[in-house]
Amino acid sequence: MLLFVFGQFAAAVSVCAAETDKELAEQLVKWGEVYQRDVLPIIRERCVQCHGSEEEDDGLDLVQFSSGELAVPHVEVWEAVAKRVRLNEMPPEGSHQLNDEQKSIFHRWVDARPRQNLCDTLASDETTSWYRGYVMSRRLTRAEYLNAVRDATGVTVDVRFDVPTDGGGGEGFDTNGESLFTSPIHIERYLEIAWHTIDQAVKSKSTEVFRQLADASDADTASKLIKAFAHHAWRRPIQDSDADRLMELFDQAIQRGETVDQAIRQPLAAVLVSPNFLFVIEKESPAGGVQRLTPHQLAMRLSLLVWSSIPDHELLSAADEDRLQNDDQVIAQLHRMLRDPKSLALGENFGLQWLGLANFLTTAAPDHELYPEFDETLAADLREEAIRCVAGVFVDDTSLLDLIESKHVYVNGRLAAHYGMDLPSDAPWQRAATAEQGRGGVITMGAVLVNTSYPRRTSPVLRGRWLLEDLLGSHVPPPPPNVPALEATTSEKTLTLRQRLEEHRTKPECAACHNRMDPLGFGLENFDALGRWRQMDAGIEIDASGKLPSGEAFSGATELKALILARSGEFERHFVRKLLGFTLGRELNKFDDCVVDECLKQLAANDHRARVVLERIVTSYPFQHRFFKAAEKAP
């Protein structure tokens, strides 16, 4: 075992030496020495009782960090522990607590961590030993594909073509390249959609390209139209070799006796099933290494971020004319794109996945007997509110903190009636002033409240867990085995939901997590399982008070939001990491921390304006650069 520990230490030192300069390496050694001298005794005295193995509390094994050398490489662990210590969540209530001196020692050590400047560096097999490489070309997600077909042809894909959905990966989003496999079902659907959509586009003359097919009386005219369509769909210049292959399909159809109008559909459909359309292709040079994206690759990344689709003609022209070379040009395109209604895709694809609502229309299932008013129309309205709420902070350039607390909500007439707001029943979607205490922002949004309820009642536990994990980025472990669900517990006396949860928290194996989750959830009890305001539940007045492990007390959603705003730094960091992970389509690493930190600085310097996050991301080094492996040399 001793040899293994020294082996791990040697490996860590060699990696450190390869990745950092001598000065930083010396600082890390000193940081480890402080841990071993001052912090390790505290860990052994106060923490290992609960965190002595991976199977115990939170799956956090602190015994493994038995020396400074073993502790230094795991900065993310110590930052997570420090956050919970600051909030008095560790050690848990009932355990021997840290005194002020011990807390001060621990926090000073964490805050003194030496930092690298990695702002102009990417993870690669040269800069880090654990680099696995990223998918060089990923498939369009389901949403991106459907939007791309719509924007290329002017025809919305028929809902009867059931394109498979995609799973999440990386930071939890379906844009992760490693999870975007291509199955035979995908290919079958792409072929069906291509033929049907091109046929509809030709018949309806849905775009300028298709409006000119009526004038396509010869091969030369057809060739120009095909090249124009491929240029947009493939979002890059069309080479002669590309055009020749497409025209072969046209010529073969003519030879079979088809008319020009019929024959031109063959190459147009081929454009939509080509890898050039279906995949995000970022072709590398043979030399490999870190390279700046080409203007067309950068345009595609911009379009995927804001529109979840392909570039429009204006963005494509900017790439063609080399007008995406500096930050001002990129930001100008970003602002223009946010003014387009297609920017709602930012709320639909990033927003819904971040909020845990991606499958809301199929998973939301309030009990029909208790809630007969919940139907597909209401579900769609609740989903649309979430989309507009998240997209709205970027489109309107309001404070990112409006996602926590806002004086406005996005409603139409039907949803306003559901919330008890005074709007005409046929009112269109609009940004309206809130009419209730605590309404406004994502925390008290109907879709979130429905999603964190059980079919027949609210759930302070689910709502509290959602606040911790999805909003603040704090990990909550699954319940320990052999602990019955709340509904399965029995008692000799009739208890309210709050009383049953309080009884649940008396169990040591439950207290650590439920002391964190339940109070937060109680603050939302004035909202029922459909997200409507209420003051009574089954004839009993709602008690929406709570007390956090840190000792802070509150009552109701408004005071709860005030406490969360006091932790807005946690929210903003978690949100930025999520948005960056969605954008890059991969798991984040330490080379991305600089972008996150820069976004947070810009938020603090610009009244928390949400748009500055997008501006910093699209001008960042990892957004505009990529590492490519060098081509293998022939033997």
Side-chain angles (χ1 to χ4, degrees):
M1 178 63 181
L2 188 60
L3 289 175
F4 172 76
V5 170
F6 278 113
Q8 292 291 93
F9 171 52
V13 170
S14 65
V15 170
C16 177
E19 295 181 3
T20 64
D21 56 25
K22 182 178 179 181
E23 182 180 355
L24 179 62
E26 291 174 351
Q27 293 174 352
L28 289 171
V29 169
K30 292 180 180 178
W31 195 57
E33 290 172 350
V34 175
Y35 170 86
Q36 189 151 334
R37 184 187 69 235
D38 299 336
V39 178
L40 182 57
I42 299 173
I43 299 295
R44 287 173 170 167
E45 180 183 350
R46 292 287 186 259
C47 305
V48 296
Q49 297 94 328
C50 294
H51 300 283
S53 70
E54 292 184 359
E55 289 74 29
E56 295 189 36
D57 195 355
D58 285 16
L60 177 59
D61 177 14
L62 297 182
V63 170
Q64 63 180 311
F65 306 123
S66 56
S67 68
E69 294 85 358
L70 294 174
V72 163
H74 299 276
V75 174
E76 72 287 348
V77 170
W78 302 116
E79 290 181 342
V81 171
K83 182 169 73 173
R84 294 190 62 182
V85 170
R86 284 191 177 98
L87 296 172
N88 291 330
E89 296 174 355
M90 286 179 63
E93 187 177 356
S95 301
H96 206 73
Q97 299 295 304
L98 301 180
N99 58 41
D100 290 342
E101 183 181 1
Q102 290 171 325
K103 288 182 180 179
S104 177
I105 290 171
F106 179 70
H107 289 310
R108 280 203 308 270
W109 175 73
V110 173
D111 294 340
R113 171 173 68 91
R115 298 176 182 271
Q116 288 177 273
N117 182 9
L118 301 175
C119 295
D120 298 327
T121 313
L122 290 180
S124 69
D125 54 8
E126 285 92 8
T127 58
T128 179
S129 61
W130 45 258
Y131 179 75
R132 295 177 299 154
Y134 296 116
V135 178
M136 291 299 102
S137 298
R138 72 165 176 88
R139 175 175 58 78
L140 295 176
T141 68
R142 179 182 186 274
E144 291 167 348
Y145 167 75
L146 295 175
N147 290 344
V149 172
R150 176 202 65 200
D151 293 341
T153 67
V155 176
T156 300
V157 175
D158 195 311
V159 294
R160 65 187 173 90
F161 295 110
D162 188 19
V163 180
T165 57
D166 302 302
E171 298 298 321
F173 297 96
D174 62 8
T175 54
N176 180 258
E178 293 182 339
S179 63
L180 286 168
F181 64 91
T182 306
S183 69
I185 296 178
H186 284 95
I187 301 302
E188 181 181 326
R189 293 293 181 272
Y190 294 153
L191 287 167
E192 293 173 345
I193 290 171
W195 282 113
H196 181 268
T197 304
I198 291 299
D199 186 61
Q200 295 298 309
V202 171
K203 289 179 179 177
S204 63
K205 301 179 177 59
S206 54
T207 69
E208 181 61 30
V209 169
F210 293 109
R211 282 191 286 273
Q212 300 175 42
L213 287 167
D215 301 324
S217 57
D218 54 52
D220 289 340
T221 307
S223 177
K224 293 177 182 178
L225 298 177
I226 292 167
K227 288 181 70 172
F229 180 66
H231 179 227
H232 184 199
W234 291 355
R235 51 266 181 196
R236 63 168 175 78
I238 301 303
Q239 306 300 321
D240 290 340
S241 56
D242 297 322
D244 290 344
R245 284 194 295 271
L246 292 171
M247 282 304 295
E248 285 180 13
L249 297 173
F250 175 84
D251 293 337
Q252 291 169 4
I254 292 293
Q255 291 170 10
R256 291 194 300 267
E258 295 183 13
T259 65
V260 171
D261 182 68
Q262 294 169 331
I264 203 171
R265 304 180 194 214
Q266 300 276 347
L268 295 178
V271 167
L272 294 186
V273 295
S274 166
N276 293 292
F277 179 75
L278 299 173
F279 286 78
V280 182
I281 296 177
E282 295 177 349
K283 189 176 181 181
E284 68 275 17
S285 70
V290 175
Q291 302 171 11
R292 191 177 192 273
L293 299 180
T294 68
H296 292 90
Q297 293 166 355
L298 184 59
M300 184 58 176
R301 283 199 179 186
L302 276 170
S303 193
L304 289 175
L305 169 59
V306 183
W307 292 337
S308 291
S309 185
I310 58 176
D312 65 355
H313 291 291
E314 186 168 342
L315 182 57
L316 195 56
S317 295
D320 291 341
E321 298 164 12
D322 215 17
R323 290 188 283 109
L324 292 175
Q325 288 301 313
N326 59 57
D327 289 353
D328 289 341
Q329 291 174 330
V330 173
I331 290 174
Q333 286 293 331
L334 171 69
H335 290 178
R336 179 188 70 83
M337 295 167 70
L338 287 171
R339 293 192 294 268
D340 191 293
K342 290 188 297 186
S343 61
L344 280 178
L346 190 56
E348 182 170 16
N349 295 308
F350 164 71
L352 293 185
Q353 291 187 76
W354 163 54
L355 295 170
L357 300 174
N359 300 314
F360 180 74
L361 294 181
T362 56
T363 59
D367 184 87
H368 185 69
E369 179 182 356
L370 288 180
Y371 304 106
E373 57 270 63
F374 187 85
D375 56 17
E376 293 181 358
T377 300
L378 177 57
D381 286 342
L382 293 171
R383 179 180 182 271
E384 183 69 15
E385 178 195 11
I387 292 170
R388 291 173 179 268
C389 179
V390 176
V393 296
F394 298 109
V395 172
D396 299 329
D397 199 16
T398 62
S399 170
L400 189 65
L401 300 183
D402 282 355
L403 293 174
I404 295 179
E405 182 176 28
S406 174
K407 301 301 182 184
H408 298 85
V409 291
Y410 290 85
V411 291
N412 61 6
R414 292 188 305 267
L415 190 57
H418 178 71
Y419 287 155
M421 298 173 63
D422 187 18
L423 279 180
S425 59
D426 59 349
W429 281 100
Q430 58 191 273
R431 189 167 177 255
T434 58
E436 300 165 349
Q437 291 184 343
R439 183 75 70 184
V442 299
I443 298 173
T444 50
M445 200 160 50
V448 169
L449 295 167
V450 171
N451 209 47
T452 53
S453 296
Y454 288 117
R456 298 182 66 87
R457 67 167 176 85
T458 61
S459 173
V461 176
L462 294 181
R463 290 176 175 180
R465 182 177 186 136
W466 180 87
L467 283 166
L468 285 172
E469 291 200 323
D470 293 339
L471 199 76
L472 298 175
S474 180
H475 173 66
V476 179
N482 303 319
V483 175
L486 189 64
E487 284 76 10
T489 59
T490 59
S491 176
E492 296 180 356
K493 53 186 178 180
T494 302
L495 301 176
T496 65
L497 176 59
R498 175 181 279 268
Q499 289 170 334
R500 283 192 289 162
L501 285 169
E502 289 173 350
E503 187 177 79
H504 209 57
R505 294 202 300 277
T506 62
K507 301 174 183 178
E509 65 271 28
C510 302
C513 292
H514 281 274
N515 283 342
R516 300 169 62 202
M517 297 185 296
D518 296 3
L520 295 172
F522 287 141
L524 300 176
E525 274 295 276
N526 280 123
F527 297 93
D528 72 4
L530 295 190
R532 298 171 299 191
W533 177 264
R534 62 179 182 174
Q535 292 181 306
M536 309 287 287
D537 180 23
I540 302 175
E541 187 172 358
I542 296 289
D543 180 0
S545 63
K547 184 177 181 181
L548 302 181
S550 57
E552 299 162 296
F554 63 92
S555 180
T558 300
E559 293 183 11
L560 169 63
K561 289 180 180 180
L563 289 181
I564 294 175
L565 283 172
R567 296 170 62 176
S568 61
E570 294 175 46
F571 161 72
E572 289 186 325
R573 178 171 291 276
H574 180 62
F575 183 90
V576 169
R577 286 188 61 85
K578 284 293 187 179
L579 183 57
L580 183 59
F582 169 83
T583 301
L584 298 180
R586 59 170 171 79
E587 187 177 357
L588 301 184
N589 54 61
K590 68 177 182 180
F591 293 85
D592 303 308
D593 288 345
C594 184
V595 182
V596 176
D597 292 340
E598 179 62 22
C599 287
L600 296 176
K601 289 179 184 177
Q602 291 297 318
L603 282 168
N606 291 277
D607 297 323
H608 304 277
R609 283 178 39 239
R611 194 175 288 184
V612 299
V613 178
L614 290 177
E615 293 172 352
R616 296 284 70 78
I617 286 178
V618 300
T619 56
S620 69
Y621 195 83
F623 184 85
Q624 297 194 4
H625 292 77
R626 186 160 189 169
F627 172 77
F628 300 97
K629 287 186 177 293
E632 295 184 5
K633 295 182 179 180

